[in-house]
C-alpha cells in the first residue's frame, strides 16, 4: 500500500487550488445572475436578497425559449449530418487503396490550414444571392463544412486501426460496401462517434459569430443571440445577461454529462491505437 507522503499532500493542495481557480467563473456567473440590477457591487460580491426573478425576466425578455429551440434544431441537424457524411467519407478513403484516395484525404486535411474567417465574405455574398441569409440552413451548412476536416481525420485514424476481419466476412456473405459499413463498421466506431458528436455539439451550440452574421434581424435567433440581446452599444444589463447565460448552457451541459462516457472511450481507443 502506498504511503501518504509530503509529496502526496503537495499534489492534493495543488489540485484543490486548481479546482478553486476553475470554480471562480462559476461563482461569478451565479453571483451576478442573482444580483439586484440596481445594486452596486463588484463581480466577486453577492448582494442580498438574491434575485431569482432575474432568470424568469431574462427568459421572457430575451425570448430564450425560441432561441433554445433554434439552437437545438441547428445543433441536432448539423451533428447528424457531420457524423453521417464524415464517417462514410472516412470509410471510403481508408478502405480504398487507389492513389487518389490518399490525395483526397490530404485535400480534406488542408481545411486545418485555412481559418474560416477568410471565407466569411464570399460565403455571405453567396448565401445572400440565393436567399439563405436569415435562414438556419445557412448556419447548418457552414457548421457541417467547418467540422468536416477534423471529423474525417478522427474517423480515419480510428478506422485504420480497426481490424477488417468482420468486413471481409460480410463481403464473403455478399454484403455490399454500404451495407457492410452500416451494419458492421458503424457500430464498431461508436466511441469515436460519441466523441465527434459532443465536440461538434459544443462548438455549434456555443457558436456566436456565425448566427450573428447570418441570423441577425430574423426570427430564428439562437441561444447565444438571445443572451446578446441584453448587451447595448454603451451598456449592458449584466444580471440579465448572466441569468440568460445560465439558462442557455443547461441543455448542452446535460448532453455533455450524458455523453462523457463515450468521449473517454473514444480518446482511450485512439490512444491504444
Amino acid at each position: 500500500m502506498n504511503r501518504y507522503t509530503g509529496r502526496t499532500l503537495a499534489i492534493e493542495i495543488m489540485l484543490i487550488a486548481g479546482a478553486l481557480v476553475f470554480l471562480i467563473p462559476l461563482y461569478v456567473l451565479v453571483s451576478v445572475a442573482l444580483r439586484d440590477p440596481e445594486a452596486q457591487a463588484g463581480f466577486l460580491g453577492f448582494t442580498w436578497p438574491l434575485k431569482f426573478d432575474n432568470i424568469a425576466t431574462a427568459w421572457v425578455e430575451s425570448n430564450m425559449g425560441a432561441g433554445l429551440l433554434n439552437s437545438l434544431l441547428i445543433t441536432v441537424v448539423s451533428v447528424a449530418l457531420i457524423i453521417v457524411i464524415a464517417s462514410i467519407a472516412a470509410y471510403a478513403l481508408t478502405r480504398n487503396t487507389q492513389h487518389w484516395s490518399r490525395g483526397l484525404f490530404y485535400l480534406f486535411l488542408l481545411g486545418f490550414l485555412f481559418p474560416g474567417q477568410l471565407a466569411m465574405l464570399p460565403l455571405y455574398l453567396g448565401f445572400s444571392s440565393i436567399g439563405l441569409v436569415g435562414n438556419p440552413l445557412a448556419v447548418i451548412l457552414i457548421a457541417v463544412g467547418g467540422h468536416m476536416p477534423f471529423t474525417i481525420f478522427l474517423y480515419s485514424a480510428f478506422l485504420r486501426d480497426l481490424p477488417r476481419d468482420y468486413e471481409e466476412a460480410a463481403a464473403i456473405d455478399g454484403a455490399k460496401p454500404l451495407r457492410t459499413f452500416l451494419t458492421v463498421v458503424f457500430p464498431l466506431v461508436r466511441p469515436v462517434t460519441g466523441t465527434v458528436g459532443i465536440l461538434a455539439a459544443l462548438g455549434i451550440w456555443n457558436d456566436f459569430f456565425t448566427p450573428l452574421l447570418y441570423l441577425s434581424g430574423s426570427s430564428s435567433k439562437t441561444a447565444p443571440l438571445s443572451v446578446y440581446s441584453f448587451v447595448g452599444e454603451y451598456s449592458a444589463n449584466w444580471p440579465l445577461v448572466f441569468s440568460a447565460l445560465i439558462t442557455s448552457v443547461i441543455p448542452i451541459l446535460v448532453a455533455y454529462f450524458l455523453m462523457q462516457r463515450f468521449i473517454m472511450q473514444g480518446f482511450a481507443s485512439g490512444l491504444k491505437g
Side-chain angles (χ1 to χ4, degrees):
M1 184 172 63
N2 295 331
R3 295 178 56 189
Y4 190 86
T5 63
R7 183 173 179 272
T8 304
L9 176 61
I11 293 174
E12 289 182 351
I13 293 175
M14 291 177 60
L15 291 175
I16 293 172
L20 292 176
V21 170
F22 280 99
L23 285 175
I24 290 176
L26 179 61
Y27 168 80
V28 172
L29 176 66
V30 175
S31 65
V32 177
L34 302 182
R35 179 180 301 169
D36 188 339
E38 304 298 328
Q40 300 294 325
F43 265 45
L44 296 179
F46 264 104
T47 60
W48 195 262
L50 300 178
K51 296 283 291 184
F52 289 95
D53 293 345
N54 288 346
I55 296 177
T57 302
W59 177 275
V60 174
E61 293 188 6
S62 66
N63 198 16
M64 181 59 71
L68 290 176
L69 288 176
N70 288 326
S71 288
L72 183 64
L73 170 67
I74 291 172
T75 303
V76 170
V77 174
S78 299
V79 170
L81 290 174
I82 289 168
I83 290 174
V84 171
I85 298 172
S87 61
I88 294 176
Y91 179 69
L93 292 173
T94 54
R95 293 303 187 254
N96 197 311
T97 57
Q98 299 195 17
H99 295 294
W100 62 262
S101 61
R102 181 172 293 274
L104 189 57
F105 173 73
Y106 289 128
L107 183 62
F108 276 112
L109 294 188
L110 284 177
F112 285 120
L113 303 179
F114 301 100
Q117 290 81 358
L118 289 177
M120 280 300 173
L121 180 58
L123 280 175
Y124 185 87
L125 294 176
F127 284 145
S128 178
S129 65
I130 59 177
L132 284 183
V133 173
N135 191 324
L137 181 59
V139 180
I140 291 172
L141 292 175
I142 292 175
V144 173
H147 283 81
M148 275 298 112
F150 180 66
T151 309
I152 290 176
F153 172 76
L154 282 182
Y155 272 115
S156 298
F158 194 92
L159 286 168
R160 286 196 179 96
D161 294 324
L162 196 67
R164 304 192 184 189
D165 300 343
Y166 295 111
E167 299 170 57
E168 293 171 355
I172 292 174
D173 290 338
K176 300 295 184 182
L178 181 59
R179 184 176 179 183
T180 300
F181 172 77
L182 294 176
T183 59
V184 177
V185 177
F186 192 72
L188 295 175
V189 297
R190 281 182 298 177
V192 71
T193 298
T195 303
V196 165
I198 193 62
L199 292 179
L202 285 170
I204 296 168
W205 183 276
N206 294 319
D207 185 20
F208 172 74
F209 181 71
T210 303
L212 178 67
L213 185 62
Y214 290 95
L215 300 180
S216 290
S218 71
S219 60
S220 301
K221 292 183 178 180
T222 58
L225 292 184
S226 297
V227 175
Y228 185 66
S229 64
F230 294 112
V231 179
E233 184 176 358
Y234 300 106
S235 63
N237 191 330
W238 292 115
L240 295 186
V241 169
F242 280 51
S243 297
L245 190 59
I246 289 176
T247 306
S248 69
V249 301
I250 288 176
I252 199 65
L253 279 178
V254 172
Y256 175 79
F257 287 126
L258 292 176
M259 297 289 290
Q260 63 178 338
R261 177 170 61 90
F262 296 101
I263 298 177
M264 295 301 105
Q265 289 179 357
F267 285 133
S269 301
L271 291 173
K272 289 176 184 177

